[in-house]
Amino acid sequence: MSRPRILIDGDTLTLEQILQVARNEVTVELAPEAAARVRASRALVDRVAAGDTPSYGINTGFGTLAEVRIDKKDLRDLQRNLILSHACGVGTPLPLGEARALLLLRCNVLAKGYSGVRPETLALALEMINRDVVPVVPERGSVGASGDLAPLAHLALVFIGEGEAYYQGQRLPARAALERAGLQPVILEAKEGLALVNGTQAMCAVGTLLQLRAESLASLADVAGAMTLEGLLGSHKPFIPEIHDIRAHPGQKDCAAHLRRILKNSELVETHVNCSKVQDPYSLRCMPQVHGAAREGLAFARRILEVEVNSATDNPLVFTETERIVSGGNFHGQPISLAMDVVAMALTQLSSISERRVEQLVNPLLSGLPAFLANSGLNSGFMIAQVTSAALVAESRVLSHPASVDSIPSSAGREDHVSMGMTAALKGRQVSDFTRSCLAIEMLVAAQALDFRLPVKPGKGALAAYELIRSKVPHMDRDRELHKDIEAVTQLVDSGAIIEAVRSATA
């Protein structure tokens, strides 16, 4: 069965399409209008390379060596040496999905027609996506200055038959991976090496997949919070529209509306209409305000990413209309760095308030339920589940220190202010892992609390999540290895099954 196709034109790529490529669900093809721009851009580079006028990166050295002229006979070696020398990445390779996204994003930038690569070089990159040849790219080594130099150099190594690549998931020398896919490496001509390593595509690849995951976790936080609210017999009144209409932050209003849908048709709410409790703790009552603020942060990050993934971030840039090749600073990753820091902080807030709700559930002085939701003192119940959540929140807070305010100059002072955008994206990815675990813990503990409320049932969205969890994890009558239960719920989170079950129940 043939896979759907995405046209790459440099201007209209969506975050959701990037995810499709990351999952290897689609093929890619260069749009005809983009192919024409690439040819025109390359023609201008060829004319400049054939002349004697100095042009950065075409017939000069790089960085602080920009004033060094390069003989025409050495232009190929100049580009090859650039790739080899810049492939300085270390650490764990990017996961396959992120590496596929990186390759796609580089193709999209080249397709804009401001980079000056040859059509055959871009064609190779597109076919690598289609034939599942994925470069091995170490995730550490970028300061986000001239973009993500080291990660992009490792990507470009495969184009010239160097480095390593995965072919259909198997890690091989790059030349062997290309050969198995029926592809041949290219010999880079003037400017092509520089065109392949300048840009923000590594931080955007990690950042895009982080962003989409974070948006899903923001919705899941509402589900977890609603389950906890029902388990604790909390009030639904703080979510009525009138409260949020007079503060009017879109994220807050959206969260409150989502909570109302999840809690609709609750039987539990009827059991405590006339209770003596006046107010719930903030971790319950202020979910729209806290979760909503996180949504606002994620909305900001999405806007930045949507612009960046369709932006020209090369240097120098090739303007065919005016026949100028101009050095600039579009490769600087500051917008992405700041956005990824915001994502990490937004997720940390979601995990932080989630941990406080878990404390409400396991503390008998707060919940009115058995201590740690255990059946007797012989069992510790969910005591350490809260401790694990606290540990993850503590580390997330450390990781939420912003990378975007840091800078270590490089390249002998030429790159004297850098963005640390890849650092921001990588630590945001780690925070998303922790947030996922915290929310899985909360839902697991909340399901146990809801067991104590049976046969009275929670709202239809919370009930759908509860029933799905109970289909995989039984009620805990006596102590068992809780890490297995946490992993089972985590798998439901990762698959999207919980969100889908709630969406179906509340449609």
Side-chain angles (χ1 to χ4, degrees), residues 311-327:
S311 294
T313 57
D314 198 357
N315 185 59
L317 291 163
V318 180
F319 295 95
T320 56
E321 299 86 351
T322 57
E323 296 201 343
R324 300 176 70 192
I325 299 179
V326 185
S327 290

Side-chain angles (χ1 to χ4, degrees), residues 471-489:
S471 73
K472 301 293 184 182
V473 182
H475 175 83
M476 191 168 73
D477 291 315
R478 61 182 64 186
D479 285 344
R480 59 179 183 247
E481 295 179 60
L482 268 180
H483 69 93
K484 295 180 179 179
D485 292 355
I486 295 170
E487 178 58 28
V489 179

Side-chain angles (χ1 to χ4, degrees), residues 190-269:
K191 195 189 180 295
E192 287 197 291
L194 190 59
L196 293 176
V197 301
N198 267 276
T200 59
Q201 284 68 56
M203 64 182 83
C204 281
V206 177
T208 294
L209 300 190
L210 165 62
Q211 172 71 24
L212 294 172
R213 187 188 200 191
E215 289 173 358
S216 177
L217 290 173
S219 293
L220 194 73
D222 298 345
V223 176
M227 291 177 66
T228 297
L229 182 90
E230 294 280 71
L232 292 170
L233 304 182
S235 174
H236 295 195
K237 290 179 181 178
F239 313 135
I240 63 173
E242 297 95 302
I243 292 174
H244 309 286
D245 288 343
I246 60 174
R247 203 184 188 192
H249 291 297
Q252 178 177 328
K253 293 178 70 173
D254 289 346
C255 176
H258 192 211
L259 286 167
R260 290 195 299 272
R261 291 195 300 273
I262 297 169
L263 295 167
K264 189 175 180 180
N265 296 343
S266 170
E267 297 174 3
L268 281 167
V269 72

Side-chain angles (χ1 to χ4, degrees), residues 361-378:
L361 288 164
V362 300
N363 187 333
L365 300 178
L366 303 172
S367 70
L369 294 167
F372 307 109
L373 305 180
N375 288 329
S376 71
L378 181 64

Side-chain angles (χ1 to χ4, degrees), residues 124 127-129 131-136 157-159 161-185:
L124 172 63
E127 279 307 303
M128 285 168 59
I129 295 173
R131 304 189 195 190
D132 201 17
V133 178
V134 183
V136 174
L157 279 176
V158 180
F159 291 29
E162 303 293 344
E164 292 182 292
Y166 300 98
Y167 175 61
Q168 296 183 351
Q170 182 182 0
R171 186 169 176 172
L172 298 166
R175 194 171 294 270
L178 290 171
E179 184 177 340
R180 290 197 187 185
L183 299 172
Q184 291 292 324

Side-chain angles (χ1 to χ4, degrees), residues 57-72:
I58 296 178
N59 51 20
T60 75
F62 309 106
T64 53
L65 303 176
E67 283 72 38
V68 178
R69 288 293 305 276
I70 307 298
D71 290 339
K72 292 177 184 177

